[in-house]
Amino acid sequence: MRLFQKYFCAVAISLWAVTPSKAQLLVAPTLHIKAEMGSGRVALTLDACGGRTDTRILSALVENKIPATIFVTGIWLKHNAAAVEIMRAHPELFELENHGGRHVPAVDTPQRIYGIRSAGSPEAVLAEVESGAAALAVTGEPAPKWFRGATAEYSPSANAMIRKLGFKIAGFSINGDGGSLLGAKETARRIAAAKDGDVIIAHINQPTHAAGEGVVQGLLALKAKGLTFVRLDDADGVGDEGTTD
Ligand SMILES: [Zn+2]
């Protein structure tokens, strides 16, 4: 019943968010990592959609030795060489994964999601996923194994296509910063509330937003509580909607 409710909610939100004509039902998959004995562990995932680098977050991760999985786009990689260099200098902390080439939603019919125009065709979804992986290859990073599309919503057919390309799809269980639009206090509260097995999503590409300050506060609170952080490659992530199996 709970699963049904969750699915129904995801569908309802998606229906509401897209234009009504020809809109497909989209899925917003969740992801958890396996719970562990002890103080618990969480996976921090940070999206670098475009724009610049929030050095408040990047510095805090390095200084506090907090590992993170960073979902980067081709656009972001192009304009943030200094940040990429810092991440590559700390391979024990940062895992870089595929957030697409141009940050267009992996939805294979023409529609808008949160105002962003979808890829719009199977060919365009393929191009988005493959160009994201190609941009990462240029940096010398290991080949990505995870994909997260812009808006983190997918049409079921695009979902299946991405899985066929060999990528796991990275959902999440805690929306830490509401697309980087939340205030610092609410962001910190959401992240600090993470429990064993949670996968947090937030953004590392909005240095002028208050949310970034909240991301740092929330992470430090989790660390103080004794939770450990893992990257997606170091944990058994289990997603719904057939995103990881
Ligand atoms: Zn994004």
Side-chain angles (χ1 to χ4, degrees), residues 10-181:
V11 167
I13 289 165
S14 299
L15 258 182
W16 176 76
V18 300
T19 44
S21 64
K22 286 192 268 174
Q24 272 199 84
L25 296 186
L26 304 183
V27 293
T30 60
L31 180 67
H32 286 89
I33 55 171
K34 279 198 182 132
E36 207 192 29
M37 302 287 280
S39 314
R41 54 180 202 166
V42 296
L44 170 65
T45 69
L46 294 169
D47 290 2
C49 311
R52 297 295 168 182
T53 304
D54 191 333
T55 52
R56 295 168 296 183
I57 299 174
L58 185 57
S59 304
L61 296 178
V62 172
E63 280 164 25
N64 296 282
K65 298 188 170 56
I66 296 174
T69 306
I70 315 288
F71 282 89
V72 298
T73 66
I75 312 166
W76 184 85
L77 283 173
K78 220 180 243 178
H79 298 109
N80 291 274
V84 174
E85 206 168 300
I86 292 169
M87 290 173 189
R88 294 207 65 215
H90 297 278
E92 76 288 3
L93 295 182
F94 299 107
E95 170 188 338
L96 271 55
E97 295 290 351
N98 187 356
H99 196 33
R102 296 188 305 122
H103 204 248
V104 294
V107 172
D108 56 359
T109 48
Q111 57 193 66
R112 280 178 184 274
I113 305 105
Y114 305 113
I116 304 181
R117 200 191 297 255
S118 66
S121 69
E123 295 75 23
V125 170
L126 185 70
E128 172 70 358
V129 178
E130 291 194 326
S131 62
L136 258 172
V138 173
T139 67
E141 276 291 294
K145 299 180 197 74
W146 291 86
F147 178 80
R148 175 182 286 151
T151 76
E153 295 197 10
Y154 311 82
S155 51
S157 42
N159 189 343
M161 196 192 322
I162 297 161
R163 293 290 292 123
K164 233 180 214 169
L165 288 169
F167 291 97
K168 291 181 179 182
I169 296 175
F172 55 89
S173 63
I174 291 198
N175 185 344
D177 65 353
S180 90
L181 298 175

Side-chain angles (χ1 to χ4, degrees), residues 173-191:
S173 63
I174 291 198
N175 185 344
D177 65 353
S180 90
L181 298 175
L182 291 175
K185 209 170 160 188
E186 174 63 7
T187 300
R189 191 194 65 76
R190 286 187 180 198
I191 292 177

